[in-house]
Amino acid sequence: MLLALADLLNASDEFRCLYVNVEGAQTAREDVGRGMKGILGAIGMDAINTLRDSFVEDHAEEVLEKTGPDFALAKMLTQWCEASPLPLVLLIDEIDSLVGDTLVSVLRQLRSGYHKRPALFPQSVILCGVRNVRDYRIDTSSEKDNIAGGSAFNIKSDSLRLGNFCEREIRTLLAQHTEETGQVFQESAISRIVESTAGQPWLVNALAYETCFKDKAARQHDREITVEAVDAAREAIILRRETHLDQLTDKLKEDRVRRVIEPILAGTFGLDMQDHDLEYARDLGLVAADSPIRIANPIYAEVIPRALTWAIQEKLTLEMMGYQAGDTLDIEQLIEGFQDFYRLNSEHWEERFEYKEAGQQLLLQAYLQRVVNGSGHLHREYATGRGRTDLLVSWPLDNGEQRRIVIECKVRRARNSMESIIAQGLEQIRGYMDNCGTFEGHLVVFESDASKTWDERIFRREEAGNGTMVVVWGC
């Protein structure tokens, strides 16, 4: 988008526009001299390649030597704009890859020249990164402080976020592949891409690329793309922990992100959430931009709990779980085994979770994923604000159909009785079972009162109603 904007402006007779990526200066970190030399070098090289203008390349070293790194960028831009026949527009990409004092210096030098535009400073500057400027948190050694973005840079005009593709745009993108290759996406495959990605641009492209080019069978373009191929591609990019997804999960370690994601996973999202935390999680693309508050798309909803439980899932063995794996799925044996496992290991394992509020649900998901992921699929749905997590287990049958089992997780907290939680859970799970078209349902209720004995906490009972039988499990 930035490159297209640069081309558009340079095609006019009103502006000169330069796109520059400053990521190369990240390694300079607190060394402002190294960082500024790298940034001016990138500007000079791109100006030659794009604008056929060697002014910055010719004068950068002299400006650095005479002015020093703390004012070299501002001085260089002033001299360049003074010599330029047209107002300059500067597009700086990966701005938030800069670290500490180097980032502070860039922001303050841009601020210092604002009043001189357009004759002696760029007419406009775009800073592009994964965060809003207001969310920059800059730890500096020289300042001995944590600087928030506003104090270092308060001349922001506007913030724009690259939005998701709508369904029409996804269809247009896939149609371009069909037009070029003749390969057709079945309607169910298109719907699955729309549903799985919610239009997140990287995910749409990654899923389509995986389906069309990584799948050997799909490289034969006379073969239609099926929903099964899309599902296989989705699982492949999740398991490979692609760079985009790996960076996504790295953000889960931030406290501002945890304060939003943890209650969503636990189903306890309430009115006490801080607006700035929610806005930050939305800016990062982790949470949907509209209501209700939820994980941004089904792929992220799958990636996040897997990332949070990956270490534990890797350490779980079928012997440790007491489960006999086979061609068929014994869901009763699996949940009964979890009860025993939870009784023996819950305190030890839950302490390992950074997201402790959702620790019980995450531990159950890790346990189920360890078994189900071999042949079937575990789908997650977080009922935000309703105190529950819905899991749907899909298991392939010999006739080609899918066995579907609903497992709902709830936590009994001090303000509610166990019977009221079970009654609420039965109503909720039966509605979810009806939506999923299945008659197999299991309600798992965790007891939060540590004073309760395990004999009081561990139970199994069957509850009939509305033509369905739900097995209730206590943990």
Side-chain angles (χ1 to χ4, degrees):
M1 184 177 287
L2 292 178
L3 292 172
L5 175 60
D7 289 342
L8 180 70
L9 293 178
N10 284 325
S12 72
D13 57 0
E14 298 180 72
F15 303 100
R16 303 173 78 209
C17 182
L18 181 71
Y19 166 91
V20 60
N21 186 316
V22 297
E23 190 173 14
Q26 183 183 45
T27 58
R29 304 187 71 80
E30 303 280 355
D31 188 338
V32 180
R34 266 188 64 200
M36 213 53 60
K37 185 174 182 179
I39 291 168
L40 291 178
I43 291 174
M45 179 179 66
D46 288 334
I48 291 173
N49 294 337
T50 304
L51 303 176
R52 302 293 183 264
D53 185 337
S54 63
F55 186 91
V56 175
E57 177 83 6
D58 294 339
H59 296 85
E61 188 173 340
E62 178 187 353
V63 169
L64 266 170
E65 184 177 344
K66 287 186 176 181
T67 308
D70 292 311
F71 198 61
L73 177 63
K75 180 71 172 178
M76 187 75 261
L77 291 177
T78 294
Q79 291 184 358
W80 190 22
C81 289
E82 185 177 23
S84 176
L86 295 172
L88 180 69
V89 175
L90 188 60
L91 315 180
I92 304 179
D93 201 2
E94 301 289 352
I95 181 67
D96 54 348
S97 67
L98 301 181
V99 177
D101 289 328
T102 300
L103 178 56
V104 172
S105 182
V106 170
L107 296 179
R108 287 183 169 159
Q109 289 187 62
L110 290 176
R111 177 185 180 185
S112 70
Y114 180 74
H115 66 284
K116 297 185 288 186
R117 66 191 185 103
L120 299 176
F121 214 72
Q123 168 78 34
S124 292
V125 178
I126 288 180
L127 301 178
C128 185
V130 297
R131 293 172 175 81
N132 192 307
V133 171
R134 67 167 183 265
D135 293 318
Y136 292 173
R137 310 290 300 184
I138 309 164
D139 295 306
T140 74
S141 58
S142 64
E143 300 280 348
K144 304 296 183 186
D145 198 4
N146 180 283
I147 300 176
S151 66
F153 186 65
N154 59 10
I155 58 170
K156 179 185 72 177
S157 172
D158 202 358
S159 293
L160 303 176
R161 179 176 177 272
L162 178 63
N164 291 338
F165 295 151
C166 65
E167 181 174 347
R168 177 183 57 80
E169 290 167 333
I170 294 175
R171 289 180 176 276
T172 299
L173 176 65
L174 300 180
Q176 291 173 356
H177 173 76
T178 300
E179 182 179 356
E180 186 168 323
T181 66
Q183 189 170 40
V184 174
F185 286 83
Q186 292 182 357
E187 181 60 31
S188 58
I190 297 175
S191 297
R192 186 58 56 85
I193 292 174
V194 173
E195 170 199 350
S196 297
T197 65
Q200 205 286 337
W202 187 91
L203 290 178
V204 172
N205 280 279
L207 203 53
Y209 180 79
E210 182 80 25
T211 304
C212 296
F213 297 103
K214 290 292 185 75
D215 183 341
K216 291 182 179 180
R219 291 179 200 165
Q220 307 299 319
H221 290 157
D222 58 341
R223 300 187 62 164
E224 293 187 348
I225 300 298
T226 65
V227 68
E228 291 79 13
V230 173
D231 286 341
R234 166 177 159 161
E235 188 68 13
I237 64 173
I238 290 174
L239 290 177
R240 278 205 309 270
R241 295 168 67 94
E242 298 280 7
T243 302
H244 169 84
L245 300 179
D246 212 30
Q247 292 174 340
L248 177 86
T249 56
D250 187 61
K251 294 178 177 65
L252 298 175
K253 300 174 185 177
E254 298 184 28
D255 285 340
R256 285 182 290 176
V257 172
R258 181 187 54 76
R259 289 194 293 264
V260 175
I261 300 299
E262 185 172 30
I264 293 179
L265 297 181
T268 59
F269 199 97
L271 298 177
D272 56 345
M273 177 56 56
Q274 297 295 317
D275 287 346
H276 62 272
D277 287 339
L278 180 57
E279 285 184 49
Y280 180 65
R282 280 176 165 160
D283 279 341
L284 291 176
L286 287 165
V287 174
D290 58 349
S291 296
I293 298 168
R294 64 195 187 279
I295 303 297
N297 56 69
I299 291 181
Y300 285 1
E302 181 80 11
V303 168
I304 288 171
R306 286 201 197 189
L308 293 173
T309 60
W310 180 80
I312 289 178
Q313 189 180 318
E314 285 293 301
K315 293 175 182 177
L316 284 174
T317 64
L318 295 179
E319 291 75 21
M320 183 189 302
M321 297 165 64
Y323 182 77
Q324 300 298 318
D327 294 334
T328 60
L329 178 66
D330 189 334
I331 193 67
E332 292 251 351
Q333 183 199 356
L334 185 57
I335 300 179
E336 187 176 320
F338 176 75
Q339 283 182 315
D340 293 337
F341 174 83
Y342 186 72
R343 181 174 188 164
L344 293 171
N345 300 285
S346 58
E347 184 175 346
H348 169 69
W349 288 87
E350 284 174 17
E351 280 302 310
R352 300 186 178 197
F353 287 118
E354 292 182 60
Y355 284 46
K356 288 183 170 48
E357 184 180 341
Q360 292 152 318
Q361 295 98 317
L362 289 171
L363 186 57
L364 175 60
Q365 291 178 53
Y367 191 94
L368 295 173
Q369 188 83 53
R370 179 66 180 83
V371 173
V372 172
N373 198 48
S375 300
H377 293 283
L378 181 65
H379 307 275
R380 299 162 174 87
E381 183 173 318
Y382 308 102
T384 305
R386 299 182 183 180
R388 76 179 204 258
T389 302
D390 294 323
L391 308 173
L392 176 63
V393 175
S394 297
W395 191 267
L397 300 175
D398 292 338
N399 61 6
E401 296 183 357
Q402 292 284 323
R403 178 185 174 195
R404 300 162 74 82
I405 307 163
V406 168
I407 302 174
E408 182 170 303
C409 313
K410 292 184 74 69
V411 179
R412 191 205 76 79
R413 305 192 187 277
R415 62 182 180 273
N416 300 112
S417 69
M418 177 61 76
E419 291 305 315
S420 67
I421 286 293
I422 291 175
Q424 183 188 58
L426 288 171
E427 181 181 356
Q428 292 170 341
I429 192 173
R430 284 179 175 132
Y432 190 51
M433 289 166 64
D434 184 56
N435 290 338
C436 296
T438 182
F439 294 97
E440 289 194 75
H442 297 264
L443 174 62
V444 179
V445 184
F446 293 95
E447 173 60 71
S448 62
D449 186 354
S451 68
K452 297 284 187 182
T453 67
W454 282 107
D455 286 342
E456 292 176 289
R457 297 168 68 171
I458 300 293
F459 63 83
R460 177 197 181 278
R461 75 191 204 205
E462 297 179 356
E463 294 283 348
N466 298 334
T468 62
M469 178 70 74
V470 176
V471 182
V472 182
W473 304 82
C475 289

